[in-house]
Amino acid sequence: MINQISFIKEGEFIEKSGSPALRLVGDVTAANPTQIVRKGVITRADMLQDFLADKCLGEPLDYIRFAVESTFGDWLPIRYFARKAGLSDKDLIAYIDTLPVQPPRKDLYRKRLASPDTAYAKPSMRVAKTQKRILDGEAVHASDTKAVTEIGLAIQGLNHPLSVEIPRIRALLTECLSVVQKASKGGAGSATRRAIARLDELLFSNRSSSTENS
């Protein structure tokens, strides 16, 4: 039936003998407007932003493939997307072994996944003060790249179990990421990515609970 219908815009109706037509008045909308549109190509920004927003808008394995195949060992929240794909760390390592990348890159991810604290970095005395402010619930803002670097280092130094609300850390790292994306190259970007990877470790390593604080 649908193949026999010609859709004609209102105001442009031309009658032709023997041609069945359906005259549409108004707009045509999708039958399911709430359907989620999946991403195609995954980027580094997608991986970082989607993790911080707690939204997997693409196929989980596509994020993992991007991290392993298309970056040079960047610190990325790979465990989060593995869990979305139903993979444990052991399963994730087995999956990475199937990807067409050089052995040194596979070894890098094996080492990172072998410990729940690979992205951890002990904070200096100065950074420890920023970390304490975060843990105490004080207002900390990513006002510039220097502040972003200190925040990143402070989050890298967080221990398990977390004693701070997860949404607050996600929001702070989102603020840092926004500053980094507008800035020129520098240490702030590296500090932020590693901090995001540290949060990924704290939330989704094998020792972590799958339940986040609200």
Side-chain angles (χ1 to χ4, degrees):
M1 178 67 181
I2 191 68
N3 294 330
Q4 297 177 341
I5 296 176
S6 299
F7 291 89
I8 299 174
K9 186 177 179 181
E10 183 181 14
E12 297 181 0
F13 183 87
I14 300 176
E15 184 176 359
K16 184 181 292 186
S17 177
S19 297
L22 178 65
R23 182 168 179 262
L24 300 180
V25 179
D27 298 325
V28 178
T29 59
N32 184 10
T34 61
Q35 184 177 3
I36 297 174
V37 178
R38 291 286 185 180
K39 290 181 179 177
V41 177
I42 302 297
T43 67
R44 181 185 287 102
D46 290 332
M47 197 162 188
L48 297 169
Q49 291 168 355
D50 291 356
F51 166 74
L52 292 175
D54 194 12
K55 293 180 180 179
C56 186
L57 300 180
E59 292 299 326
L61 292 180
D62 288 345
Y63 290 88
I64 297 169
R65 277 197 296 269
F66 166 78
V68 178
E69 296 178 0
S70 303
T71 71
F72 297 96
D74 288 7
W75 287 102
L76 293 168
I78 194 169
R79 281 184 172 94
Y80 170 78
F81 297 101
R83 301 300 179 264
K84 290 293 185 181
L87 303 179
S88 65
D89 283 355
K90 183 178 179 180
D91 296 331
L92 176 55
I93 292 171
Y95 175 70
I96 290 172
D97 281 340
T98 69
L99 298 178
V101 296
Q102 294 298 314
R105 192 170 297 187
K106 294 180 181 180
D107 290 341
L108 171 65
Y109 284 97
R110 284 195 198 96
K111 290 177 182 177
R112 287 186 179 175
L113 292 167
S115 167
D117 296 308
T118 309
Y120 172 83
K122 184 177 179 179
S124 65
M125 290 182 65
R126 185 189 75 254
V127 171
K129 293 179 180 178
T130 300
Q131 186 187 77
K132 186 176 186 302
R133 290 177 60 204
I134 294 172
L135 293 173
D136 289 346
E138 293 184 28
V140 178
H141 297 290
S143 54
D144 53 31
T145 54
K146 181 179 178 181
V148 166
T149 300
E150 287 212 1
I151 291 168
L153 293 172
I155 292 174
Q156 289 173 35
L158 291 176
N159 288 303
H160 186 275
L162 279 172
S163 57
V164 62
E165 294 180 348
I166 307 306
R168 185 163 175 266
I169 296 297
R170 288 186 187 272
L172 186 54
L173 284 171
T174 299
E175 192 177 332
C176 289
L177 193 60
S178 178
V179 172
V180 166
Q181 290 172 340
K182 297 174 184 176
S184 58
K185 294 181 179 179
S190 177
T192 299
R193 288 189 295 273
R194 184 163 178 165
I196 291 172
R198 177 58 179 160
L199 182 60
D200 183 50
E201 285 182 343
L202 290 167
L203 296 180
F204 299 103
S205 62
N206 287 338
R207 70 180 177 192
S208 302
S209 168
S210 60
T211 303
E212 295 186 15
N213 298 329
S214 59

